[in-house]
Amino acid sequence: MTQIKTPQEIEQMRPACHHAANTLVMIEEYIKPGVTTNEINEIVHDYTIQHGGIPAPLNYHGFPKSVCTSVNHVVCHGIPCDKKLKDGDIINVDVTTIINGWHGDTSKTFYVGEPKIRAEKVTEVARKALELGISVVKPGATLGDIGHVIQQYAEAEKCSVVREYCGHGIGRVFHEEPQILHYGKPNTGLILKKGMVFTIEPMVNIGRAAVKVLGDKWTVVTRDKSLSAQFEHTMVVTDDGVEILTLPNLL
Ligand code: MF3
Ligand code: CO
Ligand code: CO
């Protein structure tokens, strides 16, 4: 059952959503060659706690760190480690914060130094794919409408959309119904209603769509080792459209 959240519940979600968005703003200056993803993990962890949040990934189904860091051909759920970022890498930082029992979930792909042409291409396609997906959200639209615009655009740009992972309802629970597929057909699937809260988080590959999970049981990579990029927002369906909840409120 897809829940409808009341205006009061939306108000209760805002701090977690702002916090997660603020964390992405905060982390940007640390994304540079020579930094390890473990260092990014520590900075995100400490910032989260210091600002009254709990990092949702830590121990979530056994995930060992406080943030997901997915570099180059890693699609999602990358585990922070001792490896240093290098010039030309791309890295998705996926932050989920819990405040007062509510979750906010957002991610962004960053350039490490100067991007190479394919890295820039896949990153900009993923950024625009999320933007297009959000643009069709309103009461009466369907989940298929969201998936369709994302798939249509990414494939027209000669990229592919990952099928195995999707956006999700979110609230007191990290991942709840409905599943938000990033591919689909217009006018199909669940009809959106005011008060639904979910993420859209397309994973776009510059090569083929196929992925596999590594032996650590978490790290998802492209089978053909092609670059993959992702952006994510948490949003709520409003009376006449959508409001993105994971926007920063830093001064
Ligand atoms: N933040 C991811 C998402 O967008 C989920 C990460 S689960 C973790 O849904 F355990 F890997 F952190
Ligand atoms: Co998510
Ligand atoms: Co996320």
PDB file of all heavy atoms in Angstrom, residues 94-133:
ATOM      1  N   ASP A  94      25.857   9.374  -1.994  1.00  0.00           N
ATOM      2  CA  ASP A  94      24.431   9.167  -1.707  1.00  0.00           C
ATOM      3  C   ASP A  94      24.215   9.247  -0.196  1.00  0.00           C
ATOM      4  O   ASP A  94      24.674   8.394   0.558  1.00  0.00           O
ATOM      5  CB  ASP A  94      23.993   7.813  -2.265  1.00  0.00           C
ATOM      6  CG  ASP A  94      22.479   7.636  -2.252  1.00  0.00           C
ATOM      7  OD1 ASP A  94      21.791   8.347  -1.490  1.00  0.00           O
ATOM      8  OD2 ASP A  94      21.991   6.776  -3.008  1.00  0.00           O
ATOM      9  N   VAL A  95      23.527  10.312   0.222  1.00  0.00           N
ATOM     10  CA  VAL A  95      23.350  10.625   1.642  1.00  0.00           C
ATOM     11  C   VAL A  95      21.898  10.373   2.052  1.00  0.00           C
ATOM     12  O   VAL A  95      20.977  10.878   1.407  1.00  0.00           O
ATOM     13  CB  VAL A  95      23.688  12.116   1.907  1.00  0.00           C
ATOM     14  CG1 VAL A  95      23.359  12.492   3.350  1.00  0.00           C
ATOM     15  CG2 VAL A  95      25.143  12.406   1.588  1.00  0.00           C
ATOM     16  N   THR A  96      21.714   9.625   3.111  1.00  0.00           N
ATOM     17  CA  THR A  96      20.383   9.471   3.697  1.00  0.00           C
ATOM     18  C   THR A  96      20.494   9.747   5.186  1.00  0.00           C
ATOM     19  O   THR A  96      21.291   9.121   5.884  1.00  0.00           O
ATOM     20  CB  THR A  96      19.825   8.057   3.473  1.00  0.00           C
ATOM     21  OG1 THR A  96      19.995   7.697   2.107  1.00  0.00           O
ATOM     22  CG2 THR A  96      18.349   7.995   3.834  1.00  0.00           C
ATOM     23  N   THR A  97      19.699  10.720   5.648  1.00  0.00           N
ATOM     24  CA  THR A  97      19.742  11.146   7.049  1.00  0.00           C
ATOM     25  C   THR A  97      18.404  10.862   7.720  1.00  0.00           C
ATOM     26  O   THR A  97      17.349  11.050   7.100  1.00  0.00           O
ATOM     27  CB  THR A  97      20.021  12.660   7.125  1.00  0.00           C
ATOM     28  OG1 THR A  97      21.166  12.960   6.350  1.00  0.00           O
ATOM     29  CG2 THR A  97      20.242  13.101   8.557  1.00  0.00           C
ATOM     30  N   ILE A  98      18.485  10.451   8.981  1.00  0.00           N
ATOM     31  CA  ILE A  98      17.271  10.293   9.799  1.00  0.00           C
ATOM     32  C   ILE A  98      17.260  11.401  10.855  1.00  0.00           C
ATOM     33  O   ILE A  98      18.256  11.587  11.563  1.00  0.00           O
ATOM     34  CB  ILE A  98      17.251   8.935  10.534  1.00  0.00           C
ATOM     35  CG1 ILE A  98      17.470   7.780   9.556  1.00  0.00           C
ATOM     36  CG2 ILE A  98      15.945   8.763  11.316  1.00  0.00           C
ATOM     37  CD1 ILE A  98      17.703   6.430  10.236  1.00  0.00           C
ATOM     38  N   ILE A  99      16.160  12.156  10.907  1.00  0.00           N
ATOM     39  CA  ILE A  99      15.959  13.113  12.001  1.00  0.00           C
ATOM     40  C   ILE A  99      14.535  12.942  12.518  1.00  0.00           C
ATOM     41  O   ILE A  99      13.591  12.897  11.723  1.00  0.00           O
ATOM     42  CB  ILE A  99      16.205  14.573  11.545  1.00  0.00           C
ATOM     43  CG1 ILE A  99      17.672  14.772  11.146  1.00  0.00           C
ATOM     44  CG2 ILE A  99      15.825  15.557  12.657  1.00  0.00           C
ATOM     45  CD1 ILE A  99      18.017  16.178  10.694  1.00  0.00           C
ATOM     46  N   ASN A 100      14.417  12.845  13.841  1.00  0.00           N
ATOM     47  CA  ASN A 100      13.108  12.620  14.479  1.00  0.00           C
ATOM     48  C   ASN A 100      12.364  11.437  13.868  1.00  0.00           C
ATOM     49  O   ASN A 100      11.137  11.467  13.741  1.00  0.00           O
ATOM     50  CB  ASN A 100      12.242  13.881  14.372  1.00  0.00           C
ATOM     51  CG  ASN A 100      12.848  15.027  15.165  1.00  0.00           C
ATOM     52  OD1 ASN A 100      13.464  14.811  16.201  1.00  0.00           O
ATOM     53  ND2 ASN A 100      12.685  16.241  14.664  1.00  0.00           N
ATOM     54  N   GLY A 101      13.129  10.435  13.438  1.00  0.00           N
ATOM     55  CA  GLY A 101      12.510   9.218  12.906  1.00  0.00           C
ATOM     56  C   GLY A 101      12.134   9.275  11.436  1.00  0.00           C
ATOM     57  O   GLY A 101      11.619   8.294  10.898  1.00  0.00           O
ATOM     58  N   TRP A 102      12.381  10.420  10.783  1.00  0.00           N
ATOM     59  CA  TRP A 102      12.031  10.557   9.359  1.00  0.00           C
ATOM     60  C   TRP A 102      13.294  10.569   8.497  1.00  0.00           C
ATOM     61  O   TRP A 102      14.331  11.091   8.917  1.00  0.00           O
ATOM     62  CB  TRP A 102      11.238  11.851   9.124  1.00  0.00           C
ATOM     63  CG  TRP A 102       9.904  11.827   9.800  1.00  0.00           C
ATOM     64  CD1 TRP A 102       9.627  12.216  11.075  1.00  0.00           C
ATOM     65  CD2 TRP A 102       8.679  11.356   9.242  1.00  0.00           C
ATOM     66  NE1 TRP A 102       8.294  12.027  11.351  1.00  0.00           N
ATOM     67  CE2 TRP A 102       7.687  11.502  10.240  1.00  0.00           C
ATOM     68  CE3 TRP A 102       8.301  10.835   7.993  1.00  0.00           C
ATOM     69  CZ2 TRP A 102       6.348  11.142  10.028  1.00  0.00           C
ATOM     70  CZ3 TRP A 102       6.975  10.477   7.780  1.00  0.00           C
ATOM     71  CH2 TRP A 102       6.014  10.636   8.789  1.00  0.00           C
ATOM     72  N   HIS A 103      13.174  10.039   7.275  1.00  0.00           N
ATOM     73  CA  HIS A 103      14.322   9.919   6.374  1.00  0.00           C
ATOM     74  C   HIS A 103      14.293  10.977   5.263  1.00  0.00           C
ATOM     75  O   HIS A 103      13.231  11.310   4.731  1.00  0.00           O
ATOM     76  CB  HIS A 103      14.314   8.549   5.672  1.00  0.00           C
ATOM     77  CG  HIS A 103      14.550   7.393   6.578  1.00  0.00           C
ATOM     78  ND1 HIS A 103      13.623   6.964   7.498  1.00  0.00           N
ATOM     79  CD2 HIS A 103      15.614   6.562   6.697  1.00  0.00           C
ATOM     80  CE1 HIS A 103      14.108   5.909   8.144  1.00  0.00           C
ATOM     81  NE2 HIS A 103      15.317   5.645   7.680  1.00  0.00           N
ATOM     82  N   GLY A 104      15.486  11.439   4.894  1.00  0.00           N
ATOM     83  CA  GLY A 104      15.675  12.254   3.682  1.00  0.00           C
ATOM     84  C   GLY A 104      16.800  11.613   2.895  1.00  0.00           C
ATOM     85  O   GLY A 104      17.828  11.260   3.471  1.00  0.00           O
ATOM     86  N   ASP A 105      16.629  11.468   1.582  1.00  0.00           N
ATOM     87  CA  ASP A 105      17.543  10.667   0.746  1.00  0.00           C
ATOM     88  C   ASP A 105      17.856  11.449  -0.527  1.00  0.00           C
ATOM     89  O   ASP A 105      16.944  11.793  -1.283  1.00  0.00           O
ATOM     90  CB  ASP A 105      16.825   9.345   0.439  1.00  0.00           C
ATOM     91  CG  ASP A 105      17.669   8.304  -0.269  1.00  0.00           C
ATOM     92  OD1 ASP A 105      18.887   8.484  -0.396  1.00  0.00           O
ATOM     93  OD2 ASP A 105      17.070   7.281  -0.691  1.00  0.00           O
ATOM     94  N   THR A 106      19.132  11.750  -0.741  1.00  0.00           N
ATOM     95  CA  THR A 106      19.502  12.502  -1.946  1.00  0.00           C
ATOM     96  C   THR A 106      20.926  12.154  -2.357  1.00  0.00           C
ATOM     97  O   THR A 106      21.760  11.825  -1.496  1.00  0.00           O
ATOM     98  CB  THR A 106      19.351  14.027  -1.716  1.00  0.00           C
ATOM     99  OG1 THR A 106      19.642  14.737  -2.941  1.00  0.00           O
ATOM    100  CG2 THR A 106      20.269  14.554  -0.618  1.00  0.00           C
ATOM    101  N   SER A 107      21.196  12.199  -3.635  1.00  0.00           N
ATOM    102  CA  SER A 107      22.554  11.914  -4.097  1.00  0.00           C
ATOM    103  C   SER A 107      22.888  12.754  -5.312  1.00  0.00           C
ATOM    104  O   SER A 107      22.001  13.278  -5.992  1.00  0.00           O
ATOM    105  CB  SER A 107      22.727  10.427  -4.424  1.00  0.00           C
ATOM    106  OG  SER A 107      22.317  10.130  -5.739  1.00  0.00           O
ATOM    107  N   LYS A 108      24.192  12.822  -5.543  1.00  0.00           N
ATOM    108  CA  LYS A 108      24.685  13.677  -6.610  1.00  0.00           C
ATOM    109  C   LYS A 108      25.989  13.073  -7.121  1.00  0.00           C
ATOM    110  O   LYS A 108      26.762  12.507  -6.328  1.00  0.00           O
ATOM    111  CB  LYS A 108      24.948  15.047  -6.002  1.00  0.00           C
ATOM    112  CG  LYS A 108      25.237  16.149  -6.953  1.00  0.00           C
ATOM    113  CD  LYS A 108      25.334  17.465  -6.197  1.00  0.00           C
ATOM    114  CE  LYS A 108      25.977  18.478  -7.114  1.00  0.00           C
ATOM    115  NZ  LYS A 108      26.164  19.776  -6.488  1.00  0.00           N
ATOM    116  N   THR A 109      26.244  13.183  -8.402  1.00  0.00           N
ATOM    117  CA  THR A 109      27.526  12.756  -8.967  1.00  0.00           C
ATOM    118  C   THR A 109      28.421  13.992  -9.121  1.00  0.00           C
ATOM    119  O   THR A 109      27.985  15.005  -9.686  1.00  0.00           O
ATOM    120  CB  THR A 109      27.327  12.040 -10.314  1.00  0.00           C
ATOM    121  OG1 THR A 109      26.550  10.862 -10.090  1.00  0.00           O
ATOM    122  CG2 THR A 109      28.662  11.667 -10.943  1.00  0.00           C
ATOM    123  N   PHE A 110      29.634  13.883  -8.593  1.00  0.00           N
ATOM    124  CA  PHE A 110      30.605  14.990  -8.630  1.00  0.00           C
ATOM    125  C   PHE A 110      31.747  14.637  -9.569  1.00  0.00           C
ATOM    126  O   PHE A 110      32.129  13.472  -9.696  1.00  0.00           O
ATOM    127  CB  PHE A 110      31.216  15.217  -7.240  1.00  0.00           C
ATOM    128  CG  PHE A 110      30.248  15.651  -6.182  1.00  0.00           C
ATOM    129  CD1 PHE A 110      29.641  14.719  -5.337  1.00  0.00           C
ATOM    130  CD2 PHE A 110      29.947  17.000  -5.999  1.00  0.00           C
ATOM    131  CE1 PHE A 110      28.751  15.109  -4.346  1.00  0.00           C
ATOM    132  CE2 PHE A 110      29.066  17.406  -5.003  1.00  0.00           C
ATOM    133  CZ  PHE A 110      28.467  16.459  -4.178  1.00  0.00           C
ATOM    134  N   TYR A 111      32.347  15.678 -10.147  1.00  0.00           N
ATOM    135  CA  TYR A 111      33.586  15.512 -10.909  1.00  0.00           C
ATOM    136  C   TYR A 111      34.767  15.645  -9.955  1.00  0.00           C
ATOM    137  O   TYR A 111      34.795  16.548  -9.113  1.00  0.00           O
ATOM    138  CB  TYR A 111      33.714  16.607 -11.976  1.00  0.00           C
ATOM    139  CG  TYR A 111      32.606  16.602 -12.997  1.00  0.00           C
ATOM    140  CD1 TYR A 111      31.911  17.774 -13.309  1.00  0.00           C
ATOM    141  CD2 TYR A 111      32.270  15.433 -13.666  1.00  0.00           C
ATOM    142  CE1 TYR A 111      30.903  17.780 -14.254  1.00  0.00           C
ATOM    143  CE2 TYR A 111      31.255  15.431 -14.614  1.00  0.00           C
ATOM    144  CZ  TYR A 111      30.571  16.616 -14.907  1.00  0.00           C
ATOM    145  OH  TYR A 111      29.578  16.612 -15.833  1.00  0.00           O
ATOM    146  N   VAL A 112      35.741  14.748 -10.118  1.00  0.00           N
ATOM    147  CA  VAL A 112      36.998  14.872  -9.381  1.00  0.00           C
ATOM    148  C   VAL A 112      37.979  15.553 -10.328  1.00  0.00           C
ATOM    149  O   VAL A 112      38.375  14.959 -11.329  1.00  0.00           O
ATOM    150  CB  VAL A 112      37.532  13.486  -8.952  1.00  0.00           C
ATOM    151  CG1 VAL A 112      38.834  13.651  -8.165  1.00  0.00           C
ATOM    152  CG2 VAL A 112      36.487  12.726  -8.161  1.00  0.00           C
ATOM    153  N   GLY A 113      38.334  16.794 -10.046  1.00  0.00           N
ATOM    154  CA  GLY A 113      39.161  17.539 -10.989  1.00  0.00           C
ATOM    155  C   GLY A 113      38.403  17.762 -12.288  1.00  0.00           C
ATOM    156  O   GLY A 113      37.201  18.042 -12.275  1.00  0.00           O
ATOM    157  N   GLU A 114      39.084  17.609 -13.401  1.00  0.00           N
ATOM    158  CA  GLU A 114      38.496  17.869 -14.726  1.00  0.00           C
ATOM    159  C   GLU A 114      37.908  16.587 -15.315  1.00  0.00           C
ATOM    160  O   GLU A 114      38.615  15.586 -15.438  1.00  0.00           O
ATOM    161  CB  GLU A 114      39.578  18.390 -15.678  1.00  0.00           C
ATOM    162  CG  GLU A 114      39.737  19.896 -15.690  1.00  0.00           C
ATOM    163  CD  GLU A 114      38.430  20.640 -15.889  1.00  0.00           C
ATOM    164  OE1 GLU A 114      37.754  20.410 -16.922  1.00  0.00           O
ATOM    165  OE2 GLU A 114      38.068  21.451 -15.003  1.00  0.00           O
ATOM    166  N   PRO A 115      36.629  16.598 -15.692  1.00  0.00           N
ATOM    167  CA  PRO A 115      36.047  15.379 -16.259  1.00  0.00           C
ATOM    168  C   PRO A 115      36.517  15.132 -17.699  1.00  0.00           C
ATOM    169  O   PRO A 115      36.760  16.078 -18.444  1.00  0.00           O
ATOM    170  CB  PRO A 115      34.546  15.671 -16.246  1.00  0.00           C
ATOM    171  CG  PRO A 115      34.450  17.153 -16.334  1.00  0.00           C
ATOM    172  CD  PRO A 115      35.645  17.697 -15.605  1.00  0.00           C
ATOM    173  N   LYS A 116      36.632  13.856 -18.042  1.00  0.00           N
ATOM    174  CA  LYS A 116      36.868  13.481 -19.432  1.00  0.00           C
ATOM    175  C   LYS A 116      35.520  13.474 -20.148  1.00  0.00           C
ATOM    176  O   LYS A 116      34.471  13.517 -19.501  1.00  0.00           O
ATOM    177  CB  LYS A 116      37.541  12.117 -19.496  1.00  0.00           C
ATOM    178  CG  LYS A 116      38.896  12.108 -18.782  1.00  0.00           C
ATOM    179  CD  LYS A 116      39.732  10.909 -19.199  1.00  0.00           C
ATOM    180  CE  LYS A 116      41.123  10.949 -18.621  1.00  0.00           C
ATOM    181  NZ  LYS A 116      41.159  11.170 -17.150  1.00  0.00           N
ATOM    182  N   ILE A 117      35.575  13.427 -21.476  1.00  0.00           N
ATOM    183  CA  ILE A 117      34.358  13.662 -22.253  1.00  0.00           C
ATOM    184  C   ILE A 117      33.229  12.676 -21.932  1.00  0.00           C
ATOM    185  O   ILE A 117      32.079  13.061 -21.769  1.00  0.00           O
ATOM    186  CB  ILE A 117      34.662  13.724 -23.757  1.00  0.00           C
ATOM    187  CG1 ILE A 117      33.433  14.145 -24.542  1.00  0.00           C
ATOM    188  CG2 ILE A 117      35.219  12.441 -24.301  1.00  0.00           C
ATOM    189  CD1 ILE A 117      33.680  15.308 -25.439  1.00  0.00           C
ATOM    190  N   ARG A 118      33.543  11.372 -21.777  1.00  0.00           N
ATOM    191  CA  ARG A 118      32.492  10.380 -21.505  1.00  0.00           C
ATOM    192  C   ARG A 118      31.944  10.519 -20.083  1.00  0.00           C
ATOM    193  O   ARG A 118      30.750  10.291 -19.838  1.00  0.00           O
ATOM    194  CB  ARG A 118      33.016   8.968 -21.771  1.00  0.00           C
ATOM    195  CG  ARG A 118      33.288   8.721 -23.246  1.00  0.00           C
ATOM    196  CD  ARG A 118      34.109   7.465 -23.463  1.00  0.00           C
ATOM    197  NE  ARG A 118      33.331   6.246 -23.270  1.00  0.00           N
ATOM    198  CZ  ARG A 118      32.456   5.758 -24.146  1.00  0.00           C
ATOM    199  NH1 ARG A 118      32.223   6.400 -25.282  1.00  0.00           N
ATOM    200  NH2 ARG A 118      31.807   4.650 -23.908  1.00  0.00           N
ATOM    201  N   ALA A 119      32.813  10.886 -19.166  1.00  0.00           N
ATOM    202  CA  ALA A 119      32.377  11.093 -17.779  1.00  0.00           C
ATOM    203  C   ALA A 119      31.400  12.268 -17.707  1.00  0.00           C
ATOM    204  O   ALA A 119      30.374  12.216 -17.023  1.00  0.00           O
ATOM    205  CB  ALA A 119      33.582  11.343 -16.884  1.00  0.00           C
ATOM    206  N   GLU A 120      31.728  13.318 -18.424  1.00  0.00           N
ATOM    207  CA  GLU A 120      30.855  14.493 -18.440  1.00  0.00           C
ATOM    208  C   GLU A 120      29.524  14.157 -19.106  1.00  0.00           C
ATOM    209  O   GLU A 120      28.451  14.541 -18.624  1.00  0.00           O
ATOM    210  CB  GLU A 120      31.555  15.648 -19.162  1.00  0.00           C
ATOM    211  CG  GLU A 120      30.758  16.925 -19.126  1.00  0.00           C
ATOM    212  CD  GLU A 120      31.545  18.131 -19.618  1.00  0.00           C
ATOM    213  OE1 GLU A 120      32.672  17.963 -20.129  1.00  0.00           O
ATOM    214  OE2 GLU A 120      31.003  19.241 -19.495  1.00  0.00           O
ATOM    215  N   LYS A 121      29.593  13.405 -20.192  1.00  0.00           N
ATOM    216  CA  LYS A 121      28.377  13.029 -20.919  1.00  0.00           C
ATOM    217  C   LYS A 121      27.406  12.247 -20.022  1.00  0.00           C
ATOM    218  O   LYS A 121      26.239  12.605 -19.875  1.00  0.00           O
ATOM    219  CB  LYS A 121      28.776  12.185 -22.140  1.00  0.00           C
ATOM    220  CG  LYS A 121      27.652  11.477 -22.840  1.00  0.00           C
ATOM    221  CD  LYS A 121      26.897  12.402 -23.745  1.00  0.00           C
ATOM    222  CE  LYS A 121      25.719  11.659 -24.384  1.00  0.00           C
ATOM    223  NZ  LYS A 121      24.992  12.487 -25.325  1.00  0.00           N
ATOM    224  N   VAL A 122      27.895  11.180 -19.400  1.00  0.00           N
ATOM    225  CA  VAL A 122      26.988  10.321 -18.623  1.00  0.00           C
ATOM    226  C   VAL A 122      26.472  11.069 -17.394  1.00  0.00           C
ATOM    227  O   VAL A 122      25.307  10.901 -16.994  1.00  0.00           O
ATOM    228  CB  VAL A 122      27.676   8.976 -18.257  1.00  0.00           C
ATOM    229  CG1 VAL A 122      28.753   9.143 -17.195  1.00  0.00           C
ATOM    230  CG2 VAL A 122      26.644   7.945 -17.824  1.00  0.00           C
ATOM    231  N   THR A 123      27.292  11.939 -16.827  1.00  0.00           N
ATOM    232  CA  THR A 123      26.871  12.695 -15.649  1.00  0.00           C
ATOM    233  C   THR A 123      25.775  13.691 -16.024  1.00  0.00           C
ATOM    234  O   THR A 123      24.758  13.810 -15.318  1.00  0.00           O
ATOM    235  CB  THR A 123      28.076  13.417 -15.016  1.00  0.00           C
ATOM    236  OG1 THR A 123      29.065  12.440 -14.677  1.00  0.00           O
ATOM    237  CG2 THR A 123      27.678  14.187 -13.778  1.00  0.00           C
ATOM    238  N   GLU A 124      25.969  14.396 -17.122  1.00  0.00           N
ATOM    239  CA  GLU A 124      24.966  15.393 -17.510  1.00  0.00           C
ATOM    240  C   GLU A 124      23.665  14.729 -17.961  1.00  0.00           C
ATOM    241  O   GLU A 124      22.579  15.267 -17.726  1.00  0.00           O
ATOM    242  CB  GLU A 124      25.530  16.351 -18.566  1.00  0.00           C
ATOM    243  CG  GLU A 124      26.687  17.218 -18.045  1.00  0.00           C
ATOM    244  CD  GLU A 124      26.441  17.848 -16.667  1.00  0.00           C
ATOM    245  OE1 GLU A 124      25.346  18.412 -16.448  1.00  0.00           O
ATOM    246  OE2 GLU A 124      27.337  17.762 -15.796  1.00  0.00           O
ATOM    247  N   VAL A 125      23.761  13.547 -18.584  1.00  0.00           N
ATOM    248  CA  VAL A 125      22.536  12.823 -18.969  1.00  0.00           C
ATOM    249  C   VAL A 125      21.780  12.371 -17.710  1.00  0.00           C
ATOM    250  O   VAL A 125      20.551  12.503 -17.635  1.00  0.00           O
ATOM    251  CB  VAL A 125      22.843  11.642 -19.916  1.00  0.00           C
ATOM    252  CG1 VAL A 125      21.597  10.772 -20.130  1.00  0.00           C
ATOM    253  CG2 VAL A 125      23.354  12.169 -21.266  1.00  0.00           C
ATOM    254  N   ALA A 126      22.506  11.884 -16.711  1.00  0.00           N
ATOM    255  CA  ALA A 126      21.840  11.456 -15.468  1.00  0.00           C
ATOM    256  C   ALA A 126      21.185  12.640 -14.757  1.00  0.00           C
ATOM    257  O   ALA A 126      20.066  12.539 -14.243  1.00  0.00           O
ATOM    258  CB  ALA A 126      22.840  10.772 -14.541  1.00  0.00           C
ATOM    259  N   ARG A 127      21.897  13.784 -14.741  1.00  0.00           N
ATOM    260  CA  ARG A 127      21.358  14.986 -14.088  1.00  0.00           C
ATOM    261  C   ARG A 127      20.045  15.412 -14.750  1.00  0.00           C
ATOM    262  O   ARG A 127      19.036  15.662 -14.095  1.00  0.00           O
ATOM    263  CB  ARG A 127      22.379  16.125 -14.207  1.00  0.00           C
ATOM    264  CG  ARG A 127      22.106  17.330 -13.305  1.00  0.00           C
ATOM    265  CD  ARG A 127      22.971  18.540 -13.663  1.00  0.00           C
ATOM    266  NE  ARG A 127      24.389  18.287 -13.817  1.00  0.00           N
ATOM    267  CZ  ARG A 127      25.286  18.265 -12.832  1.00  0.00           C
ATOM    268  NH1 ARG A 127      24.909  18.516 -11.594  1.00  0.00           N
ATOM    269  NH2 ARG A 127      26.560  18.032 -13.083  1.00  0.00           N
ATOM    270  N   LYS A 128      20.052  15.441 -16.083  1.00  0.00           N
ATOM    271  CA  LYS A 128      18.864  15.864 -16.833  1.00  0.00           C
ATOM    272  C   LYS A 128      17.760  14.817 -16.733  1.00  0.00           C
ATOM    273  O   LYS A 128      16.567  15.154 -16.713  1.00  0.00           O
ATOM    274  CB  LYS A 128      19.286  16.113 -18.297  1.00  0.00           C
ATOM    275  CG  LYS A 128      18.207  16.553 -19.243  1.00  0.00           C
ATOM    276  CD  LYS A 128      18.175  18.067 -19.417  1.00  0.00           C
ATOM    277  CE  LYS A 128      17.020  18.522 -20.308  1.00  0.00           C
ATOM    278  NZ  LYS A 128      17.256  18.299 -21.733  1.00  0.00           N
ATOM    279  N   ALA A 129      18.135  13.543 -16.658  1.00  0.00           N
ATOM    280  CA  ALA A 129      17.133  12.470 -16.548  1.00  0.00           C
ATOM    281  C   ALA A 129      16.322  12.638 -15.255  1.00  0.00           C
ATOM    282  O   ALA A 129      15.095  12.504 -15.264  1.00  0.00           O
ATOM    283  CB  ALA A 129      17.806  11.103 -16.583  1.00  0.00           C
ATOM    284  N   LEU A 130      16.997  12.944 -14.158  1.00  0.00           N
ATOM    285  CA  LEU A 130      16.273  13.178 -12.903  1.00  0.00           C
ATOM    286  C   LEU A 130      15.358  14.398 -13.035  1.00  0.00           C
ATOM    287  O   LEU A 130      14.190  14.365 -12.647  1.00  0.00           O
ATOM    288  CB  LEU A 130      17.250  13.381 -11.737  1.00  0.00           C
ATOM    289  CG  LEU A 130      16.599  13.845 -10.424  1.00  0.00           C
ATOM    290  CD1 LEU A 130      15.524  12.877  -9.943  1.00  0.00           C
ATOM    291  CD2 LEU A 130      17.655  14.067  -9.338  1.00  0.00           C
ATOM    292  N   GLU A 131      15.898  15.460 -13.611  1.00  0.00           N
ATOM    293  CA  GLU A 131      15.125  16.695 -13.781  1.00  0.00           C
ATOM    294  C   GLU A 131      13.853  16.431 -14.615  1.00  0.00           C
ATOM    295  O   GLU A 131      12.761  16.885 -14.252  1.00  0.00           O
ATOM    296  CB  GLU A 131      16.043  17.693 -14.500  1.00  0.00           C
ATOM    297  CG  GLU A 131      15.653  19.137 -14.456  1.00  0.00           C
ATOM    298  CD  GLU A 131      16.688  19.945 -15.256  1.00  0.00           C
ATOM    299  OE1 GLU A 131      17.878  19.966 -14.866  1.00  0.00           O
ATOM    300  OE2 GLU A 131      16.291  20.531 -16.289  1.00  0.00           O
ATOM    301  N   LEU A 132      13.993  15.671 -15.690  1.00  0.00           N
ATOM    302  CA  LEU A 132      12.833  15.353 -16.538  1.00  0.00           C
ATOM    303  C   LEU A 132      11.828  14.496 -15.783  1.00  0.00           C
ATOM    304  O   LEU A 132      10.616  14.708 -15.892  1.00  0.00           O
ATOM    305  CB  LEU A 132      13.286  14.620 -17.807  1.00  0.00           C
ATOM    306  CG  LEU A 132      13.912  15.488 -18.887  1.00  0.00           C
ATOM    307  CD1 LEU A 132      14.515  14.599 -19.984  1.00  0.00           C
ATOM    308  CD2 LEU A 132      12.877  16.438 -19.487  1.00  0.00           C
ATOM    309  N   GLY A 133      12.335  13.519 -15.038  1.00  0.00           N
ATOM    310  CA  GLY A 133      11.438  12.662 -14.250  1.00  0.00           C
ATOM    311  C   GLY A 133      10.620  13.499 -13.284  1.00  0.00           C
ATOM    312  O   GLY A 133       9.394  13.345 -13.186  1.00  0.00           O
TER     313      GLY A 133
END
